[in-house]
Amino acid sequence: MTRNTRDDGKGGTAVAVLGLGPMGRALAAAFGAAGHRVTVWNRTPGKAAGLPVEVEVAGSIAGAVAAGTVVVACLAHREALEQVLAQAPDGWQGRTLVNLTSGPPDGARRLAGWAAGRGAAYLDGAVLTPTRTIGTPGATVLVSGPAEVFGAVRGTLAATGGAVLHLGAEVGLAGAHETALLDLFATSVHGLAHAFALAAAEGIAPGRFAPLAAGIGDLLAVLAADFAEQLAAGSFPGTRSTLAAARSGLTHALDASARHGLDTGVLAAARSGLDRALAAGHGAEGLARLAAVLAEPVARPADDGPGAERDAAGRAEGSGAVSR
């Protein structure tokens, strides 16, 4: 096959998409709709059926890599991607691997080294919007890595939709942003679910509660801007709300949840963070001070490293202390 390596967004770049889960399918469709020549690969055969664009289906990872000058990976997680790439250790010379698989920044740096050792350029990325937005103005994709590499594939990546944001040359930046945003999303979804559970326990209908809950989202947008400004300035005025008041309100929610027998683990953890702030004398300061407090490392016992909780649970289960 003669490869067209032009990348002005119009030249029909040869793109290989690894992984045909919902996001991988959306990406393959967007690249095809933009006029690029798309080859796809998936561990489970048959996933290309029903794609709205014409694609070539590779029978192996090596075949997909051989077919694409830009190889876009979108698998379930970084470990799965590394297992897949191990099946194609060669044939990467002159290609660009764009990894859109979710994962922390240290994994991105490891993959960048893997690619460099095989003569391939590397960009790490994160898709921030749902599959339905891909290929539309509503999509947002974060990318990090060398500026010259991004510049070479920018036209091709534009097929993904509205905003493809290059965060900088440090390859871990996209993963770092995504990980912090996942932190926000996961705790926000839990808070929303827990609030609906507490409302139900108090006899409030979901439809009546929902409009009021939606207003919290608007408040968070305002708080995000305030946090950024105050953290940059190192000043946390308590003119509108204080950490002491926040703790009081949180305690009401925690106590009410406990009375109804609801899980209070996350609320208790949130109050613990506020307790740290108050113990350090920040009770009269604004909410953004909490971010500065939480950024300070927490002292842990010597055996309380990653996996210690899981190991402790395993030991308890082995002794019969954990039942299902």
Side-chain angles (χ1 to χ4, degrees), residues 13-42 47-58 64 70-75 98 100 127 131-136 141 156-161:
T13 304
V15 179
V17 177
L18 309 182
L20 289 178
M23 185 59 73
R25 287 175 60 86
L27 291 167
F31 286 123
H36 301 298
R37 293 175 288 123
V38 180
T39 299
V40 299
W41 175 88
N42 194 70
K47 285 294 188 75
L51 281 172
V53 296
E54 183 177 346
V55 299
E56 294 290 333
V57 179
V70 177
V71 181
V72 178
C74 187
L75 280 80
V98 181
L100 299 181
V127 182
T131 56
R132 66 178 180 273
T133 67
I134 303 303
T136 77
V141 178
T156 298
L157 295 181
T160 60

Side-chain angles (χ1 to χ4, degrees), residues 93-116:
Q93 188 70 37
R95 286 166 173 75
T96 299
L97 173 58
V98 181
N99 177 36
L100 299 181
T101 304
S102 292
D106 56 341
R109 298 174 188 120
R110 184 169 61 250
L111 284 168
W114 181 93

